[in-house]
Short mmCIF file of all heavy atoms in Angstrom, two decimals:
data_model
loop_
_atom_site.label_atom_id
_atom_site.label_comp_id
_atom_site.label_asym_id
_atom_site.label_seq_id
_atom_site.Cartn_x
_atom_site.Cartn_y
_atom_site.Cartn_z
N GLY D 17 27.14 6.27 -18.73
CA GLY D 17 26.89 6.79 -17.38
C GLY D 17 25.96 5.93 -16.56
O GLY D 17 25.50 6.34 -15.49
N SER D 18 25.68 4.70 -17.03
CA SER D 18 24.70 3.88 -16.32
C SER D 18 25.30 3.12 -15.14
O SER D 18 24.58 2.44 -14.42
CB SER D 18 24.05 2.88 -17.28
OG SER D 18 24.99 1.91 -17.68
N GLY D 19 26.60 3.21 -14.95
CA GLY D 19 27.20 2.51 -13.82
C GLY D 19 28.53 1.91 -14.21
O GLY D 19 29.22 2.40 -15.11
N HIS D 20 28.89 0.82 -13.52
CA HIS D 20 30.19 0.19 -13.71
C HIS D 20 30.02 -1.30 -13.95
O HIS D 20 29.07 -1.90 -13.47
CB HIS D 20 31.04 0.38 -12.45
CG HIS D 20 31.45 1.80 -12.22
ND1 HIS D 20 30.59 2.74 -11.72
CD2 HIS D 20 32.63 2.43 -12.43
CE1 HIS D 20 31.21 3.90 -11.64
NE2 HIS D 20 32.46 3.75 -12.06
N ILE D 21 31.00 -1.87 -14.65
CA ILE D 21 31.01 -3.32 -14.86
C ILE D 21 32.21 -3.89 -14.10
O ILE D 21 33.33 -3.40 -14.25
CB ILE D 21 31.07 -3.66 -16.38
CG1 ILE D 21 31.09 -5.17 -16.62
CG2 ILE D 21 32.28 -3.03 -17.07
CD1 ILE D 21 30.86 -5.55 -18.08
N PRO D 22 31.99 -4.90 -13.24
CA PRO D 22 33.13 -5.52 -12.56
C PRO D 22 34.05 -6.17 -13.61
O PRO D 22 33.57 -6.87 -14.50
CB PRO D 22 32.49 -6.58 -11.66
CG PRO D 22 31.06 -6.14 -11.49
CD PRO D 22 30.70 -5.48 -12.80
N ALA D 23 35.34 -5.92 -13.50
CA ALA D 23 36.27 -6.43 -14.52
C ALA D 23 36.28 -7.96 -14.54
O ALA D 23 36.38 -8.58 -15.60
CB ALA D 23 37.67 -5.89 -14.27
N LEU D 24 36.19 -8.55 -13.38
CA LEU D 24 36.26 -10.01 -13.27
C LEU D 24 34.85 -10.59 -13.42
O LEU D 24 34.00 -10.40 -12.55
CB LEU D 24 36.82 -10.34 -11.88
CG LEU D 24 37.67 -11.56 -11.65
CD1 LEU D 24 38.68 -11.80 -12.75
CD2 LEU D 24 38.37 -11.44 -10.30
N GLY D 25 34.63 -11.29 -14.52
CA GLY D 25 33.29 -11.81 -14.78
C GLY D 25 33.28 -13.33 -14.86
O GLY D 25 34.28 -13.97 -15.21
N PHE D 26 32.11 -13.89 -14.54
CA PHE D 26 31.92 -15.34 -14.60
C PHE D 26 31.04 -15.65 -15.81
O PHE D 26 29.95 -15.11 -15.96
CB PHE D 26 31.24 -15.82 -13.31
CG PHE D 26 30.85 -17.27 -13.35
CD1 PHE D 26 31.81 -18.26 -13.16
CD2 PHE D 26 29.53 -17.66 -13.57
CE1 PHE D 26 31.45 -19.61 -13.20
CE2 PHE D 26 29.17 -19.00 -13.61
CZ PHE D 26 30.15 -19.97 -13.42
N GLY D 27 31.51 -16.55 -16.68
CA GLY D 27 30.76 -16.93 -17.88
C GLY D 27 29.96 -18.19 -17.63
O GLY D 27 30.44 -19.12 -16.97
N THR D 28 28.75 -18.24 -18.17
CA THR D 28 27.87 -19.38 -17.86
C THR D 28 27.70 -20.35 -19.04
O THR D 28 26.71 -21.06 -19.11
CB THR D 28 26.48 -18.88 -17.40
OG1 THR D 28 25.86 -18.19 -18.50
CG2 THR D 28 26.59 -17.96 -16.20
N LEU D 29 28.64 -20.37 -19.94
CA LEU D 29 28.58 -21.33 -21.04
C LEU D 29 28.97 -22.71 -20.51
O LEU D 29 30.13 -23.14 -20.60
CB LEU D 29 29.50 -20.88 -22.18
CG LEU D 29 29.63 -21.81 -23.40
CD1 LEU D 29 28.29 -22.30 -23.90
CD2 LEU D 29 30.36 -21.11 -24.52
N ILE D 30 27.98 -23.35 -19.88
CA ILE D 30 28.19 -24.66 -19.24
C ILE D 30 27.08 -25.57 -19.75
O ILE D 30 25.90 -25.29 -19.53
CB ILE D 30 28.12 -24.52 -17.70
CG1 ILE D 30 29.17 -23.51 -17.23
CG2 ILE D 30 28.28 -25.87 -17.01
CD1 ILE D 30 29.06 -23.12 -15.76
N PRO D 31 27.43 -26.64 -20.48
CA PRO D 31 26.39 -27.45 -21.13
C PRO D 31 25.44 -28.15 -20.15
O PRO D 31 24.27 -28.33 -20.46
CB PRO D 31 27.18 -28.49 -21.93
CG PRO D 31 28.60 -28.02 -21.96
CD PRO D 31 28.79 -27.07 -20.81
N ASP D 32 25.93 -28.53 -19.00
CA ASP D 32 25.11 -29.33 -18.09
C ASP D 32 24.30 -28.43 -17.14
O ASP D 32 24.85 -27.52 -16.52
CB ASP D 32 26.03 -30.25 -17.28
CG ASP D 32 25.24 -31.16 -16.36
OD1 ASP D 32 24.67 -32.14 -16.87
OD2 ASP D 32 25.16 -30.84 -15.15
N ALA D 33 22.99 -28.72 -17.03
CA ALA D 33 22.10 -27.85 -16.24
C ALA D 33 22.47 -27.85 -14.75
O ALA D 33 22.56 -26.79 -14.12
CB ALA D 33 20.65 -28.30 -16.43
N ALA D 34 22.68 -29.04 -14.20
CA ALA D 34 22.99 -29.12 -12.76
C ALA D 34 24.33 -28.44 -12.47
O ALA D 34 24.48 -27.73 -11.46
CB ALA D 34 23.03 -30.58 -12.33
N GLU D 35 25.27 -28.63 -13.38
CA GLU D 35 26.58 -28.00 -13.18
C GLU D 35 26.50 -26.48 -13.31
O GLU D 35 27.23 -25.75 -12.65
CB GLU D 35 27.56 -28.57 -14.22
CG GLU D 35 28.99 -28.37 -13.83
CD GLU D 35 29.96 -29.03 -14.82
OE1 GLU D 35 29.64 -29.13 -16.01
OE2 GLU D 35 31.04 -29.42 -14.37
N THR D 36 25.59 -26.01 -14.17
CA THR D 36 25.38 -24.55 -14.29
C THR D 36 24.99 -23.98 -12.92
O THR D 36 25.49 -22.94 -12.49
CB THR D 36 24.26 -24.23 -15.31
OG1 THR D 36 24.64 -24.75 -16.57
CG2 THR D 36 24.03 -22.74 -15.42
N ILE D 37 24.09 -24.68 -12.24
CA ILE D 37 23.59 -24.18 -10.95
C ILE D 37 24.71 -24.17 -9.91
O ILE D 37 24.95 -23.14 -9.26
CB ILE D 37 22.39 -25.03 -10.47
CG1 ILE D 37 21.22 -24.87 -11.45
CG2 ILE D 37 21.97 -24.64 -9.05
CD1 ILE D 37 20.00 -25.71 -11.14
N THR D 38 25.43 -25.27 -9.79
CA THR D 38 26.47 -25.31 -8.74
C THR D 38 27.60 -24.33 -9.07
O THR D 38 28.06 -23.61 -8.19
CB THR D 38 27.03 -26.73 -8.55
OG1 THR D 38 27.47 -27.22 -9.82
CG2 THR D 38 26.00 -27.67 -7.97
N ALA D 39 28.01 -24.30 -10.33
CA ALA D 39 29.13 -23.42 -10.70
C ALA D 39 28.77 -21.94 -10.51
O ALA D 39 29.58 -21.14 -10.05
CB ALA D 39 29.56 -23.67 -12.14
N THR D 40 27.52 -21.58 -10.85
CA THR D 40 27.11 -20.17 -10.69
C THR D 40 27.06 -19.81 -9.21
O THR D 40 27.53 -18.73 -8.81
CB THR D 40 25.74 -19.95 -11.38
OG1 THR D 40 25.84 -20.36 -12.75
CG2 THR D 40 25.33 -18.49 -11.34
N ARG D 41 26.52 -20.69 -8.40
CA ARG D 41 26.48 -20.40 -6.95
C ARG D 41 27.88 -20.34 -6.36
O ARG D 41 28.19 -19.47 -5.54
CB ARG D 41 25.64 -21.46 -6.21
CG ARG D 41 24.17 -21.17 -6.33
CD ARG D 41 23.36 -21.98 -5.36
NE ARG D 41 23.62 -21.63 -3.96
CZ ARG D 41 22.88 -22.09 -2.96
NH1 ARG D 41 21.87 -22.90 -3.18
NH2 ARG D 41 23.15 -21.74 -1.72
N ASP D 42 28.75 -21.25 -6.80
CA ASP D 42 30.14 -21.23 -6.30
C ASP D 42 30.84 -19.93 -6.69
O ASP D 42 31.62 -19.38 -5.92
CB ASP D 42 30.93 -22.42 -6.87
CG ASP D 42 30.48 -23.75 -6.29
OD1 ASP D 42 29.81 -23.75 -5.23
OD2 ASP D 42 30.77 -24.79 -6.91
#
Side-chain angles (χ1 to χ4, degrees):
S18 69
H20 292 77
I21 180 168
L24 212 42
F26 173 77
T28 65
L29 176 47
I30 302 171
D32 183 77
E35 199 176 30
T36 300
I37 296 177
T38 54
T40 305
R41 279 194 66 171
D42 290 342

